[in-house]
Amino acid sequence: MRKDGTFIAVEVADETAADAALATKLTEACPVDIFATADGGKLEIVEKNLDECVLCRLCMDAVGGRGPDLVKILKLYDDGAVLV
Amino acid sequence: MRFFEYEAREVVKRAGIPVTDFGFTTDPGEAREIAQRIGGPTVIKSQVLTGGRMKAGGVKFADTPEEAEAYARDILALEINGHMPRGVLVDPKAEVEQEYYAGVVWDGTRKQPVMIFSPVGGIDIEQVAEEQPDKVGRKHFSNILPFGDFEAKEVIASTGVTGSALNKLTPIVARLAKLFVENDMTLAEINPLGRLKDGSFVALDAHMDIENEARGRHKKLLKDLGVGDEETRQAREATPFELAGEAVDSQDHRGVAGNVTEFDGNLGLVIGAGGGSLTLFDAVRAHGGQPANYCEIGGNPSVSKTCGLAKLVLQKPGVDKIAVMMSIVSNTRVDIVARGVIKACLELGHDPAEKIAIFRIPGAWEEEGFKILEKYGVEYADRSVSLNEAARRAVEKIQGTTAASETGAPGLIPGGHT
Ligand code: SF4
């Protein structure tokens, strides 16, 4: 799953998006509410908040350090550089 | 925020300073009842937040309750300098032997309150200071350390007041100083402070201003006085542009991006950080620029809030370009502000490189911020360019006289136009 803002894009691996426990962790971790949990526990990316991303990496920590593999933060203003 | 006289008198009374047995009303019939209760000649005073009441006929002396009612009716219908009265104050006509002045005012240069006392009251203290400087005592005091009554005594004594008057005035002036600090005031003045025939002192009029930013700390007092949250009591009513700025600022809790004041120039300002707004505003004017607004950004506002502020300024009629400038930021992030202002341009269909005259915000996350600005071709400056120089360049740009030589000026990085 991927959503793009003007400055930031977020990509979440399908297995992560479908994992209710990880979805909850991501929803709780992000300080600017980029993740939400839909009914049924599936992860959603809140498009209107994408450009608020503060590049804090908390989402990457929340998925057990498997950051860019499971959750990718892309800086669109920097040729799509991936936050590591 | 300025208090009406009847409110200021109530504040004085609560501090334990003797006041006359006054009453406040918005109803002429009630004015008669108050005058009846007082029993004797009264003064009916218009309650307006402007000067010149006496001259305009907003202060009248009544011998009977019926007269008090008639005067109250006239005064309630009387507009003074464009202000309709909030009500009238009905005050006993005191038999005063001498009028004094006592005041405390915030000295912004010393960053301390200064207590001022004079045995010549009833007229402007500025006039007394000019005509009889030896009759004005002054003393700065700490607004952190506890206030000592001896400090008040020193000031009063310095004007030649002695004996029983000195002893009776000391607690009054000390209480005024304490109420000033406790209520976060910028002005607390009793003028005149009257000495009656029996030697006692009584506050006959009071003027008070509370620091606007401190209103939240004095909710109970304001509620008790009946001051509504919506009452700004500024020198003029907020314009729709300024109200829209407030709405932007209150859209979320993160940081500040608002406090806009409307001007009629063509250079929109998105400015702030640690006094930077005032410095930058002055710098723009000093270089012949015409600001379209004043505003404040700080405390790391969200992208959407910054975007909202920039959009508001960009949409203001007459604005050709905006200048985004702050002093060196620490908690506010350069990249977040850059995102906000660029987003504003894009959402309004403008080319950020065209609309942003200069972006001069060095500090936290500047590397990321500068990458964003490069991508959109916005001209930006780092910390080697002073606030003054940034303001000059913004003005020059909007006036269309940017010197070709500037492109290579130190610290100025032309955006990455392709
Ligand atoms: S980096 Fe931080 S702000 Fe950005 S999506 Fe992850 S948790 Fe949210």
Side-chain angles (χ1 to χ4, degrees):
Chain A
M1 177 199 322
R2 169 168 165 157
K3 296 268 176 177
D4 285 18
T6 308
F7 305 99
I8 300 290
V10 174
E11 236 175 66
V12 179
D14 289 343
E15 57 171 299
T16 312
D19 182 329
L22 279 181
T24 307
K25 276 190 182 172
L26 284 172
T27 306
E28 285 171 358
C30 180
V32 292
D33 299 332
I34 284 172
F35 304 104
T37 316
D39 291 344
K42 199 172 181 308
L43 186 76
E44 277 183 351
I45 296 173
V46 183
E47 209 168 329
K48 72 174 175 58
N49 290 344
L50 282 173
D51 285 330
E52 297 288 353
C53 172
V54 289
L55 308 174
C56 65
R57 300 180 176 84
L58 288 173
C59 50
M60 289 149 67
D61 293 346
V63 292
R66 291 170 63 207
D69 293 340
L70 301 186
V71 183
K72 230 182 236 161
I73 309 296
L74 299 114
K75 297 190 265 183
L76 301 178
Y77 57 86
D78 192 11
D79 296 329
V82 177
L83 183 68
V84 286
Chain B
M1 187 204 76
R2 196 164 162 198
F3 286 118
F4 285 96
E5 180 191 354
Y6 72 96
E7 296 166 337
R9 292 245 216 146
E10 182 59 33
V11 175
V12 166
K13 188 171 147 187
R14 284 167 179 233
I17 296 171
V19 292
T20 54
D21 182 20
F22 67 92
F24 167 77
T25 180
T26 55
D27 173 52
E30 207 181 333
R32 177 168 40 79
E33 285 166 25
I34 297 169
Q36 237 151 17
R37 170 173 58 77
I38 290 170
T42 51
V43 192
I44 317 299
K45 297 164 107 177
S46 174
Q47 295 301 287
V48 277
L49 292 177
T50 180
R53 284 185 303 184
M54 192 72 152
K55 250 190 203 162
V59 179
K60 297 230 161 108
F61 297 90
D63 288 327
T64 64
E66 289 69 33
E67 245 179 34
E69 179 177 353
Y71 287 149
R73 183 167 290 112
D74 293 348
I75 290 173
L76 285 167
L78 181 71
E79 188 183 290
I80 301 175
N81 299 332
H83 295 245
M84 285 310 285
R86 167 69 62 99
V88 290
L89 189 134
V90 184
D91 207 17
K93 188 161 172 267
E95 289 296 325
V96 178
E97 290 225 308
Q98 186 176 344
E99 292 184 333
Y100 295 73
Y101 172 95
V104 183
V105 66
W106 180 255
D107 180 344
T109 309
R110 283 275 293 262
K111 295 188 170 53
Q112 274 191 324
V114 57
M115 191 171 16
I116 303 165
F117 178 84
S118 175
V120 182
I123 53 171
D124 280 349
I125 191 67
E126 290 82 2
Q127 191 185 333
V128 184
E130 211 171 287
E131 294 169 2
Q132 305 175 70
D134 57 320
K135 293 286 181 208
V136 179
R138 294 180 192 83
K139 186 176 178 11
H140 286 88
F141 61 96
S142 168
N143 57 333
I144 299 168
L145 300 172
F147 183 84
D149 285 10
F150 71 92
E151 298 180 80
K153 199 166 201 166
E154 266 178 31
V155 180
I156 302 164
S158 74
T159 64
V161 176
T162 56
S164 144
L166 176 61
N167 287 336
K168 284 178 182 163
L169 282 164
T170 299
I172 293 176
V173 177
R175 281 172 195 157
L176 186 66
K178 286 175 198 162
L179 85 79
F180 177 93
V181 174
E182 280 162 14
N183 293 298
D184 294 310
M185 296 209 161
T186 51
L187 169 77
E189 183 182 72
I190 301 175
N191 188 25
L193 172 62
R195 178 160 57 81
L196 306 181
K197 276 206 168 112
D198 61 2
S200 65
F201 287 86
V202 67
L204 296 170
D205 197 351
H207 298 105
M208 291 189 181
D209 269 346
I210 189 171
E211 175 60 63
N212 229 6
E213 305 297 328
R215 284 179 65 151
R217 284 156 49 102
H218 303 289
K219 283 193 170 139
K220 183 174 180 323
L221 174 71
L222 297 176
K223 191 167 173 244
D224 289 354
L225 294 174
V227 180
D229 285 346
E230 73 293 348
E231 282 190 65
T232 59
R233 299 203 187 164
Q234 298 299 314
R236 61 168 172 77
E237 291 299 314
T239 66
F241 174 75
E242 290 163 355
L243 291 173
E246 269 178 40
V248 168
D249 195 36
S250 58
Q251 81 182 38
D252 69 51
H253 67 279
R254 284 179 52 193
V256 174
N259 201 7
V260 295
T261 305
E262 183 164 8
F263 291 87
D264 54 7
N266 57 355
L267 179 60
L269 298 179
V270 178
I271 50 179
S277 290
L278 291 172
T279 309
L280 285 158
F281 188 91
D282 287 349
V284 165
R285 293 201 59 201
H287 290 295
Q290 295 174 327
N293 67 288
Y294 169 85
C295 77
E296 286 171 5
I297 287 197
N300 204 25
S302 60
V303 173
S304 70
K305 219 154 128 166
T306 310
C307 172
L309 174 65
K311 270 168 113 170
L312 178 71
V313 176
L314 280 163
Q315 285 174 299
K316 186 174 183 293
V319 168
D320 293 334
K321 290 182 192 296
I322 57 169
V324 185
M325 306 182 286
M326 294 169 82
S327 44
I328 297 174
V329 292
S330 50
N331 59 345
T332 296
R333 280 175 47 168
V334 178
D335 60 332
I336 299 289
V337 179
R339 285 188 216 170
V341 294
I342 287 173
K343 213 172 173 64
C345 292
L346 297 175
E347 287 182 8
L348 293 173
H350 299 309
D351 176 359
E354 273 294 309
K355 277 288 164 185
I356 302 175
I358 192 165
F359 186 106
R360 189 272 183 206
I361 310 182
W365 292 71
E366 65 178 26
E367 278 171 31
E368 291 297 317
F370 294 166
K371 276 184 204 166
I372 296 170
L373 296 160
E374 294 249 0
K375 167 149 169 99
Y376 288 91
V378 176
E379 211 159 81
Y380 62 92
D382 62 20
R383 70 190 65 197
S384 66
V385 173
S386 68
L387 294 177
N388 185 47
E389 174 60 10
R392 189 190 68 74
R393 291 180 188 181
V395 171
E396 209 168 55
K397 203 158 185 184
I398 203 159
Q399 288 171 345
T401 55
T402 312
S405 61
E406 251 189 26
T407 337
L412 181 70
I413 299 110
H417 292 99
T418 51

